[in-house]
Amino acid sequence: MDLNTITEVVRRPSDRPGADWREGDAWLAGGTWLFSAEQPGLRRLVDLTALDWEPLVPGDEGLEIGATCTVRDLYAFVPPDDWRAGPLLATCCEAFLSSFKVWNAATVGGNICMSLPAGPMITLTVALEAQYELWAPDGSTRIVDALGFVTGNHRNVLAPGEILRRVRIPARALRGHTAHRRFSLTRLGRSTVFLIGTSAPERGDLLLTVTAGTTRPVRLAFDTMPDARTLRESVDALPAALWFADPNGTPGHRRHLTRHFAEEIRRALMTGDPA
């Protein structure tokens, strides 16, 4: 879609582009959402891809993902053998409601900052206990937990002019056991619910991340593997207002699916069989 209110595109921003931020600006990375709808309040686009941020940096401490890393690059990444959670990277890429053409342009940071309930990069990074590095216009940096970044449907903690620079996933999370369940109305449709369970081998705990069915990510944490009743009661205790409603599912439907898949994930992690 043509954005007919745009009067300027900054093709070569400074290394800290927030310093030049002004009202009416928008950060441009993949642009797959930006150019899909009218943006009457925008006057200028600042192209972040010109900064050549490193897309993926694996290391002893885990995985660093640059905000402008494309879905295509993340999907093609081959994780180390000892990262048991490594297959989740590709799984969450496959959860996108998009074509291969969108994969070539859409970015990890863009999906996170859109902050939609069904954003699969949000699901991935919350489940793997990631942290986000945010850059402010005044040059300061702050670190926020992925779990607390999204506050509601299309809402997050970003201040005006603030930018997501990178995502850091810790190695301990990447080495944990995982199981996931996802439901959509059609095979390649938007997620109605998307759940990921993780368990540290040395602790036998459970972190259950619930997304798509809720307006923001939810984490149910247990120091030891809960029994079926405890897990079901924890799901039922989530506030009614937290469940999301759209054409892909009612709150009641999403709550029911979450109960069902949460139990499947619990059993899978107990038996070591993610299927």
Side-chain angles (χ1 to χ4, degrees), residues 30 61 90 131 172 196:
E61 295 183 357
Q131 291 187 321
R172 58 174 176 75
I196 296 177

Side-chain angles (χ1 to χ4, degrees), residues 175-275:
R175 295 191 180 105
H177 296 292
T178 69
H180 71 276
R181 295 293 186 272
R182 175 177 173 266
F183 178 86
S184 60
L185 295 178
T186 60
R187 181 174 175 271
L188 299 176
R190 184 184 293 266
S191 301
T192 300
V193 295
F194 193 176
L195 284 71
I196 296 177
T198 64
S199 181
E202 69 277 9
R203 294 200 302 268
D205 59 347
L206 173 63
L207 295 181
L208 181 68
T209 297
V210 179
T211 62
T214 51
T215 57
R216 58 173 175 78
V218 173
R219 178 185 294 153
L220 301 178
F222 305 89
D223 292 334
T224 58
M225 191 63 65
D227 58 28
R229 178 178 178 179
T230 299
L231 182 57
R232 184 178 64 252
E233 289 176 346
S234 296
V235 172
D236 290 342
L238 296 177
L242 193 59
W243 296 100
F244 189 51
D246 73 355
N248 296 287
T250 65
H253 178 55
R254 285 177 150 116
R255 185 188 300 109
H256 168 76
L257 289 173
T258 300
R259 288 194 201 106
H260 175 75
F261 288 138
E263 175 57 16
E264 285 196 353
I265 288 173
R266 186 187 74 88
R267 292 182 182 180
L269 289 173
M270 288 182 65
T271 61
D273 179 10

